[in-house]
Amino acid sequence: MMGYGYSMMGGSFGMIIIPIILIGIVMFAVTRQGENNNVKDNSSNILNERFARGEINEDEYTHKKNMLLNDKKHKKII
């Protein structure tokens, strides 16, 4: 009987390495998503502060806010 006791991935080594790789992929995806959200939130906060200080008028604020919201929608699709 050839290969008795071993799986295609190398026995117990494969049983250890596959979950580690899957956990790594999930962690990478979660941290990457968090980074994207933080950048958008910071941009929105800066825009709100500039409007509150009077650095930009209402038209500029509305235009830039819409640009940020549209950019978020496009990122979610991709």
Side-chain angles (χ1 to χ4, degrees):
M1 292 194 186
M2 252 166 69
Y4 180 73
Y6 294 99
S7 70
M8 289 177 51
M9 295 299 293
S12 61
F13 179 73
M15 292 174 64
I16 294 171
I17 197 74
I18 291 174
I20 290 172
I21 291 171
L22 291 174
I23 290 170
I25 291 170
V26 169
M27 288 175 60
F28 175 76
V30 168
T31 56
R32 185 74 178 192
Q33 182 65 30
E35 290 172 4
N36 290 338
N37 287 339
N38 289 338
V39 170
K40 296 299 178 191
D41 291 341
N42 288 339
S43 298
S44 182
N45 289 338
I46 292 169
L47 183 62
N48 291 338
E49 289 173 8
R50 289 185 66 200
F51 181 63
R53 285 189 296 239
E55 294 178 11
I56 59 175
N57 62 28
E58 187 175 354
D59 291 333
E60 285 179 285
Y61 174 79
T62 305
H63 177 70
K64 292 177 189 239
K65 189 75 162 183
N66 287 334
M67 287 174 47
L68 284 173
L69 292 174
N70 287 334
D71 191 37
K72 283 183 184 180
K73 289 178 186 175
H74 290 296
K75 294 285 183 182
K76 288 181 182 177
I77 293 171
I78 297 172

